[in-house]
Amino acid sequence: MSKKKQIGRYLRRSLSAASRREVRATPTLKARFFSKISYYKSRLYSSQVRSLILAILLFFLSMGGVLVTTHVWASTAIAQTQQEPLQLVQEAKSLYKNGQFESALTLWEQAAAAFAVREDKLNQAMALSNLALTAQQLGRWEQAKKAIATSLNILQTQPKTPERASEGGAALTQILSSTLDIQGQLQLAVGESEAALATWKQAAEIYQNLGNQNGAIRSQINQTQAMQNLGLYPMACKTLLKTLKLDHQNCQITKEELQTLKERIVNKRNSSSLDILALRSLGNVLRVVSQLEQSQMVLFAAGQLAQQSGDSQNLAAIYLSLGNTAKSLGNRKIQLEKPSEQQPDLTQSICIQAASITNAAQFYQQAATCYRQAESFTSSDIKRQAQLNRFSLLVQTQQWSEVATLLSEITSHLNDLPITHPTVYADIKFAQSLMCLQSKLSENSSNVLSSPVLQLCSFVKNTPTGTGVKILESSKIPSWPEIGQILQTALNQAQQLQDKQAEADVRGYLGGVYQQMGKLAEARQLTEQALQQKSAFKDSSITYLWQWQLGRIYQTQQNQKSALKAYTLAYETLQSLRKDLVGINPEIQFTFRDSVEPVYRELVNLLLQPQASQQIKQTEINQENLKLARDVMEALQLAELTNFFREACIISQPQPIDELDPNAAVIYSIILPDRLAIILSRPQKPLKYYATPLKPNSQLGEIGEVERVYKDILANFTRYSYLDSLHPQTIFYDWLIRPIEPELQKDDIKTLVFVLDGVLRGVPMSALYDSQKQKYLIEKYNLALSPGLQLLYSSSLSPKKLQTLVGGLAEASQGFSKLPGVEEEVREIAKIVPTEVLLNKEFTRNRLKVEIDNAAFPIVHLATHGQFSSQAENTFLLAWDGRINVKELDQVLQARDRPGRSPLELLILSACQTATGDNRAVLGLAGVAVRSGARSTLATLWSVEDESTVELMNKFYSKLNQPGVTKAEALRQAQLFLLRSPNYRRPYYWAPFVLVGNWL
């Protein structure tokens, strides 16, 4: 007899005293909702009713995030005495499914009371759990908390008699695990992410003990949502990969691995909503950790599965996630594109389709299409999020006519959703977009000390049409007071939820609005309240924003002492976050230069403020402030590298200068709004401070004086430039070297180590020109660059340790031109030092790894094409079989980490160049230096002539092979050799070679 017939037959029986029998049924799976029905025998306290059957129905609700909602339903009636409460259960269930939450709530209350009267504890707990779930949909959090607490108390206090354990223990435990799932959702909804994580871990353990794999997987997926709320993205990624049976120590997943995963899930006979949900969650996490192509690939797979299975709930959320990933891809692309004179067209595109996209505008177009498709679904939460994200995209891309239209639609439904943790943050997001919009309207009168919230705004650099601006100005854009009212409503909702975390954030944003309105007293009070509430939470990812805001408010009020204190706290908060910078809001990664970097610079500016009675060039800054300013700039260098890699891969190991080299001086350059500051650090000497005033910009958006001279100096470095065009090199010499030269001469300094700031990193220091003595800087000193002394290791090479592994590409490969001088370069090196050579087809990624595994080469010399960029994705070296990305260098050179093996002393890259048009491309060079693990890296800022490179490398190795010659001295002698050669005396040939890291 089938299970279905067994159920029907049993339900038709009367439970008279004479015919009462015990019935037990095995579990079964219901297709659409993964319903698991457990039948069990239970003795009740009522003398009239001896047994009943409970049905546990599990199904998913996909609401704003990765949420799984568990419903605990009662069975159909099994006795006349049970008819009334069970009828209530069926009606409540139907009302809930139809979205009639108010009516369903009333029936759940009646059902729970009816079961209580009959002393039917398990069904009472079931009804209370569903009451809590329904109350959540209505935003009645206290009622939901009370109901779930009562339900758990009933379940956890049931007698543990042997009879009970054998007859109904499994069913009770199943109800308990389902109720914990509901409690976890409730905790997450009110902002208690840590509690939700603990609850879902407990539920997962129970499901595992029951052998319910689907339940365990569901709880694990839920845990990852709580982890993301807590900023634990790597942990969330690892959990999801384990759930998908793809074990990985981190989120660095190859596209090939993801393709295999996709094929495995697609080829399953029945790909479940759990598979789709897990893929969607993984796609979201991969986006946050900047694995954008992988994120899109996973989400495409999830979307295709959802389409095939008709899973509309997951599909709507997938469209939203795909829109977010496409926007992030556009943001990354736009950073290296030249400003466009045309606005991107966001009207037509395809969402779930891998298309050949070449520019940011196409990614933005795809994002807008995905958001529109998400908006077309019935889920009010998804629709609201998609609208807000599209609105933010329209503001960013300055689509003013569409902004006005969508704004009207959003405001008309602003208060339609129930009060939840996500809806409070949706209001915050909307208010933030409106703040950006208002700042754009009044950008000509912008205040340098505006709210840091506006630093999170990012606008595509194009020229909007006059018509678009008029449409924007004539539409009803909410004013600052109206934006404040939206946030005040959000604050009231957060207080109603008793969500202290959300309340703190709303106060911070509200403080920013008051700051823009010029109401500084109210702004300061709100910001201080936000910080006071934030101090109670471990999650401090946004705390720095309010500390920074408080510092700016104090500065505006001319309270420098309090401002310095607030800025210092913001800096310390960022330092605590540096090891996991990706834990910060993902939008901050894109706007790092505007939303993180200024904290460091503004703090340094305060620390180096001259006294009113002194001239800038003659100031005496106290040593404590100078040391802190130096430390802050070094910390900024590390923060930039961490943001470059989007992961915490930099280990700080400070090294005092005098322990490295008593004849070296370190020069810190700091570009400030009104001056170029220099801090000179020498062994056993106090720090010295110098500053050169800079011309103020005449109009908004104009590049600064330092960048103007930088552009001039780069224009001079060609093989055709005349030797008398030395004006830019002379300016930089006068700014950076002349003020400190007396100190350098007095201390007999031999080596200058530069910790450069901003565009100065792209300036070849060797070519700075002393117009008085008519000498280049390389003629006076050994030179080296450093991302900061915190990255240095003290070591030096000896002639006996110059075994070199040389890899090179002389032939054309993968669209790159041939390098005919590489073969001669390799031959000349082999004449000077012991050499193992991998040339052309032998120079592959795997062969390079094998050779490094087999022997400890202190020097690795790669004569191949390469590019340094401000983005890790575009920083690479070329091997015969493909590009070696900067993030893969540690894997290729991993043998250095083996116990007893000497680390890589020197990495030489003799044919690389910086990305064209990327003023921060030298950050990629620093990234290569750090990621390779080499103590020193010798590289080129631009690609130079083969013949001159051969000559320079020949001389470099010859000098390095002499006892007592440091790497910096060897490079200097090689550069001087070219400088004094009639054919190569122009800086174009010898200036691009730079030594990064340890100079000994």
Side-chain angles (χ1 to χ4, degrees):
M1 185 183 295
S2 70
K3 295 182 178 68
K4 193 171 183 180
K5 288 182 178 179
Q6 287 178 348
I7 295 171
R9 179 178 175 182
Y10 180 76
L11 294 176
R12 287 192 295 269
R13 291 177 180 171
S14 66
L15 291 179
S16 64
S19 63
R20 193 173 290 123
R21 296 178 60 188
E22 296 177 351
V23 179
R24 178 171 301 177
T26 57
T28 186
L29 188 68
K30 215 169 180 180
R32 277 301 295 275
F33 302 107
F34 304 91
S35 311
K36 187 169 183 179
I37 303 177
S38 301
Y39 297 92
Y40 63 94
K41 180 176 73 176
S42 177
R43 299 182 178 233
L44 300 175
Y45 295 102
S46 169
S47 61
Q48 298 298 318
V49 182
R50 286 306 210 178
S51 65
L52 70 116
I53 299 172
L54 289 178
I56 302 174
L57 177 63
L58 307 178
F59 72 97
F60 302 105
L61 266 185
S62 179
M63 303 184 62
V66 187
L67 297 178
V68 182
T69 304
T70 305
H71 295 251
V72 188
W73 303 120
S75 69
T76 52
I78 60 174
Q80 291 182 357
T81 53
Q82 291 291 86
Q83 187 68 33
E84 181 185 347
L86 290 175
Q87 205 167 24
L88 292 171
V89 166
Q90 293 300 328
E91 290 176 12
K93 169 184 171 181
S94 178
L95 289 168
Y96 185 97
K97 286 185 177 181
N98 292 327
Q100 297 174 266
F101 300 125
E102 192 75 56
S103 300
L105 185 69
T106 301
L107 293 185
W108 285 124
E109 289 173 332
Q110 294 174 6
F115 285 129
V117 168
R118 288 164 175 74
E119 297 186 359
D120 184 345
K121 298 295 185 182
L122 294 185
N123 267 329
Q124 182 189 0
M126 172 276 299
L128 287 168
S129 295
N130 284 301
L131 190 158
L133 188 65
T134 308
Q136 287 182 53
Q137 305 305 319
L138 295 166
R140 298 179 184 176
W141 305 107
E142 287 307 311
Q143 186 176 9
K145 288 178 181 179
K146 184 177 179 181
I148 205 73
T150 305
S151 176
L152 286 170
N153 183 60
I154 291 171
L155 294 171
Q156 292 167 347
T157 56
Q158 288 298 290
K160 300 289 192 299
T161 62
E163 184 182 37
R164 261 203 176 288
S166 62
E167 293 179 346
L172 185 150
T173 308
Q174 177 73 314
I175 297 173
L176 175 60
S177 59
S178 301
T179 300
L180 287 171
D181 266 343
I182 294 174
Q183 185 187 38
Q185 178 185 317
L186 173 59
Q187 290 165 331
L188 193 73
V190 297
E192 299 173 3
S193 299
E194 284 191 77
L197 180 58
T199 298
W200 277 322
K201 283 182 177 180
Q202 185 181 354
E205 186 178 350
I206 294 173
Y207 281 128
Q208 289 283 11
N209 292 336
L210 288 170
N212 184 343
Q213 289 304 311
N214 278 354
I217 290 171
R218 184 173 56 251
S219 290
Q220 288 167 352
I221 295 172
N222 279 342
Q223 288 172 40
T224 64
Q225 178 63 51
M227 291 172 188
Q228 290 177 69
N229 284 6
L230 294 168
L232 304 174
Y233 297 104
M235 184 186 296
C237 188
K238 190 174 181 180
T239 301
L240 287 167
L241 291 174
K242 186 176 180 181
T243 298
L244 291 164
K245 296 181 173 58
L246 184 63
D247 270 341
H248 239 274
Q249 293 304 310
N250 53 45
C251 263
Q252 300 301 315
I253 313 163
T254 65
K255 294 178 183 178
E256 291 74 22
E257 289 172 320
L258 288 177
Q259 182 62 33
T260 302
L261 172 64
K262 172 187 172 182
E263 291 170 357
R264 174 161 55 80
I265 293 177
V266 169
N267 292 332
K268 285 175 64 175
R269 287 188 176 181
N270 295 308
S271 293
S272 69
S273 288
L274 274 178
D275 293 322
I276 298 170
L277 192 61
L279 286 172
R280 173 163 67 87
S281 303
L282 179 61
N284 289 335
V285 174
L286 288 171
R287 177 179 65 254
V288 175
V289 298
S290 206
Q291 293 265 72
L292 299 182
E293 287 84 2
Q294 288 87 334
S295 169
Q296 191 174 58
M297 183 177 177
V298 169
L299 291 170
F300 279 156
Q304 289 163 359
L305 287 172
Q307 287 176 330
Q308 292 166 11
S309 63
D311 188 346
S312 61
Q313 288 284 353
N314 260 322
L315 186 58
I318 290 165
Y319 280 132
L320 177 63
S321 296
L322 276 167
N324 295 338
T325 296
K327 181 184 176 183
S328 294
L329 283 163
N331 288 344
R332 189 174 71 183
K333 200 78 174 176
I334 200 73
Q335 291 177 314
L336 294 182
E337 289 184 1
K338 294 181 179 179
S340 171
E341 294 297 319
Q342 295 181 344
Q343 294 175 317
D345 178 11
L346 304 187
T347 55
Q348 294 181 351
S349 183
I350 299 175
C351 183
I352 302 183
Q353 181 174 320
S356 177
I357 294 180
T358 58
N359 58 52
Q362 291 173 318
F363 279 122
Y364 292 144
Q365 187 181 48
Q366 186 179 43
T369 299
C370 292
Y371 289 144
R372 285 194 189 91
Q373 291 187 257
E375 290 171 41
S376 68
F377 286 79
T378 57
S379 169
S380 55
D381 279 328
I382 295 293
K383 182 175 182 178
R384 171 77 174 279
Q385 289 184 61
Q387 284 180 329
L388 292 176
N389 289 3
R390 185 160 67 92
F391 183 71
S392 173
L393 177 62
L394 292 173
V395 172
Q396 178 184 337
T397 54
Q398 304 179 58
Q399 304 287 303
W400 303 134
S401 58
E402 287 193 65
V403 162
T405 303
L406 185 55
L407 176 60
S408 175
E409 188 176 347
I410 292 173
T411 51
S412 64
H413 299 286
L414 198 57
N415 299 315
D416 288 354
L417 294 179
I419 300 171
T420 65
H421 179 82
T423 56
V424 171
Y425 277 94
D427 287 343
I428 291 176
K429 182 176 181 64
F430 182 45
Q432 183 181 334
S433 293
L434 291 175
M435 292 174 74
C436 293
L437 194 53
Q438 271 293 344
S439 72
K440 189 66 178 176
L441 282 173
S442 56
E443 64 180 353
N444 291 332
S445 59
S446 63
N447 182 2
V448 175
L449 295 178
S450 60
S451 167
V453 172
L454 301 183
Q455 301 290 129
L456 300 176
C457 303
S458 57
F459 297 99
V460 172
K461 294 180 179 179
N462 55 24
T463 305
T465 62
T467 304
V469 175
K470 289 178 182 178
I471 291 173
L472 180 64
E473 291 175 347
S474 62
S475 63
K476 294 182 179 179
I477 304 300
S479 62
W480 287 113
E482 288 170 331
I483 297 171
Q485 188 54 54
I486 293 171
L487 287 169
Q488 185 62 54
T489 301
L491 179 60
N492 296 338
Q493 292 175 342
Q495 290 172 332
Q496 185 178 333
L497 291 172
Q498 296 184 337
D499 187 343
K500 300 297 183 183
Q501 183 90 303
E503 188 179 334
D505 288 335
V506 176
R507 288 186 192 277
Y509 280 94
L510 196 53
V513 170
Y514 276 100
Q515 184 179 355
Q516 293 308 114
M517 293 165 61
K519 297 183 178 181
L520 298 183
E522 294 92 334
R524 189 181 74 183
Q525 183 180 22
L526 283 163
T527 307
E528 287 173 341
Q529 289 172 348
L531 287 170
Q532 186 177 8
Q533 287 183 297
K534 274 288 187 183
S535 64
F537 300 96
K538 293 180 181 178
D539 174 27
S540 59
S541 61
I542 202 173
T543 302
Y544 89 94
L545 205 61
W546 311 137
Q547 292 163 334
W548 182 14
Q549 181 165 285
L550 187 61
R552 283 190 164 187
I553 292 170
Y554 278 128
Q555 270 196 285
T556 306
Q557 294 178 323
Q558 302 299 312
N559 187 342
Q560 300 299 318
K561 184 177 180 181
S562 296
L564 184 58
K565 182 179 180 181
Y567 270 102
T568 302
L569 288 173
Y571 160 69
E572 290 172 352
T573 299
L574 284 172
Q575 284 300 94
S576 70
L577 287 170
R578 187 184 64 79
K579 292 183 180 178
D580 190 17
L581 195 62
V582 293
I584 291 180
N585 181 330
E587 290 299 313
I588 292 179
Q589 295 178 351
F590 168 51
T591 60
F592 179 89
R593 289 187 64 183
D594 298 317
S595 60
V596 175
E597 188 175 320
V599 177
Y600 294 85
R601 296 193 181 282
E602 290 172 25
L603 173 55
V604 169
N605 196 18
L606 280 172
L607 290 167
L608 301 180
Q609 281 291 345
Q611 296 180 13
S613 61
Q614 295 174 320
Q615 297 297 317
I616 286 180
K617 285 191 175 181
Q618 299 173 346
T619 65
E620 286 294 333
I621 309 294
N622 68 62
Q623 286 295 302
E624 183 180 350
N625 279 13
L626 284 176
K627 288 177 181 177
L628 181 54
R630 178 193 63 183
D631 293 344
V632 170
M633 290 309 296
E634 289 213 352
L636 174 58
Q637 300 265 348
L638 296 184
E640 287 180 299
L641 284 172
T642 303
N643 187 63
F644 174 79
F645 287 112
R646 296 292 197 264
E647 59 186 80
C649 60
I650 315 296
I651 301 174
S652 173
Q653 296 190 9
Q655 290 278 355
I657 308 170
D658 47 355
E659 291 183 10
L660 291 166
D661 185 354
N663 296 116
V666 182
I667 300 168
Y668 296 85
S669 66
I670 308 165
I671 303 173
L672 297 173
D674 61 344
R675 63 200 187 279
L676 177 62
I678 303 295
I679 296 178
L680 175 64
S681 177
R682 298 156 297 162
Q684 308 296 335
K685 294 288 181 69
L687 298 173
K688 296 285 288 185
Y689 169 71
Y690 304 87
T692 300
L694 298 174
K695 296 177 183 177
N697 293 343
S698 58
Q699 58 186 16
L700 188 68
E702 184 182 16
I703 64 173
E705 189 176 6
V706 174
E707 189 169 343
R708 285 198 295 272
V709 179
Y710 167 75
K711 289 181 178 295
D712 290 341
I713 200 172
L714 286 191
N716 277 350
F717 291 140
T718 69
R719 72 190 74 183
Y720 308 112
S721 62
Y722 295 100
L723 287 178
D724 57 358
S725 57
L726 296 170
H727 183 62
Q729 290 100 301
T730 301
I731 292 176
F732 276 133
Y733 187 96
D734 292 341
W735 284 352
L736 295 170
I737 305 301
R738 196 167 303 285
I740 63 175
E741 200 154 32
E743 300 290 338
L744 300 178
Q745 294 171 353
K746 183 171 63 176
D747 293 332
D748 195 26
I749 296 298
K750 305 294 184 186
T751 301
L752 301 183
V753 182
F754 291 91
V755 181
L756 296 170
D757 186 25
V759 295
L760 291 175
R761 294 175 188 142
V763 177
M765 293 292 113
S766 57
L768 300 193
Y769 191 71
D770 181 355
S771 59
Q772 294 179 6
K773 296 185 178 179
Q774 297 186 344
K775 285 187 176 182
Y776 289 102
L777 189 61
I778 194 65
E779 297 181 83
K780 297 182 175 185
Y781 301 99
N782 301 325
L783 304 175
L785 305 179
S786 174
L789 293 184
Q790 296 186 29
L791 296 176
L792 293 176
Y793 304 84
S794 82
S795 179
S796 59
L797 284 169
S798 67
K800 296 180 180 179
K801 297 181 179 180
L802 294 182
Q803 293 88 352
T804 302
L805 174 63
V806 180
L809 284 182
E811 299 176 10
S813 177
Q814 303 166 59
F816 288 85
S817 61
K818 62 181 180 180
L819 296 170
V822 165
E823 293 185 5
E824 184 182 355
E825 183 179 335
V826 171
R827 284 195 299 271
E828 292 299 321
I829 294 171
K831 293 177 183 179
I832 303 169
V833 296
T835 304
E836 179 73 26
V837 177
L838 303 176
L839 194 61
N840 294 326
K841 293 183 180 180
E842 293 183 341
F843 177 46
T844 64
R845 180 198 313 256
N846 288 335
R847 183 69 188 279
L848 184 62
K849 289 180 67 174
V850 168
E851 292 297 332
I852 291 173
D853 282 345
N854 290 339
F857 293 98
I859 301 176
V860 172
H861 185 130
L862 304 179
T864 180
H865 286 288
Q867 176 176 275
F868 305 127
S869 166
S870 60
Q871 295 184 355
E873 295 80 8
N874 296 324
T875 299
F876 62 89
L877 303 174
L878 193 68
W880 181 264
D881 57 344
R883 298 182 179 187
I884 303 175
N885 183 268
V886 63
K887 287 189 175 184
E888 301 173 292
L889 274 180
D890 58 340
Q891 300 170 29
V892 174
L893 305 173
Q894 62 187 350
R896 72 180 195 275
D897 293 329
R898 291 182 181 175
R901 297 287 292 271
S902 299
L904 179 60
E905 293 288 349
L906 178 60
L907 173 66
I908 299 176
L909 308 171
S910 61
C912 293
Q913 62 183 358
T914 53
T916 304
D918 186 352
N919 288 348
R920 295 166 66 91
V922 182
L923 186 63
L925 170 54
V928 169
V930 170
R931 195 69 174 210
S932 69
R935 296 182 176 183
S936 310
T937 300
L938 173 57
T940 53
L941 296 178
W942 59 79
S943 184
V944 295
E945 295 287 341
D946 281 358
E947 294 83 358
S948 60
T949 299
V950 171
E951 296 280 354
L952 184 138
M953 285 299 162
N954 190 351
K955 184 62 66 174
F956 173 75
Y957 276 100
S958 297
K959 292 294 181 181
L960 197 62
N961 204 27
Q962 297 175 7
V965 177
T966 66
K967 301 162 194 168
E969 174 65 20
L971 177 59
R972 175 173 175 259
Q973 293 299 328
Q975 288 176 298
L976 290 176
F977 176 78
L978 291 189
L979 172 61
R980 292 161 184 167
S981 168
N983 295 328
Y984 306 122
R985 58 195 182 119
R986 292 188 176 92
Y988 166 79
Y989 295 103
W990 50 263
F993 293 90
V994 293
L995 183 67
V996 181
N998 192 289
W999 57 89
L1000 296 176

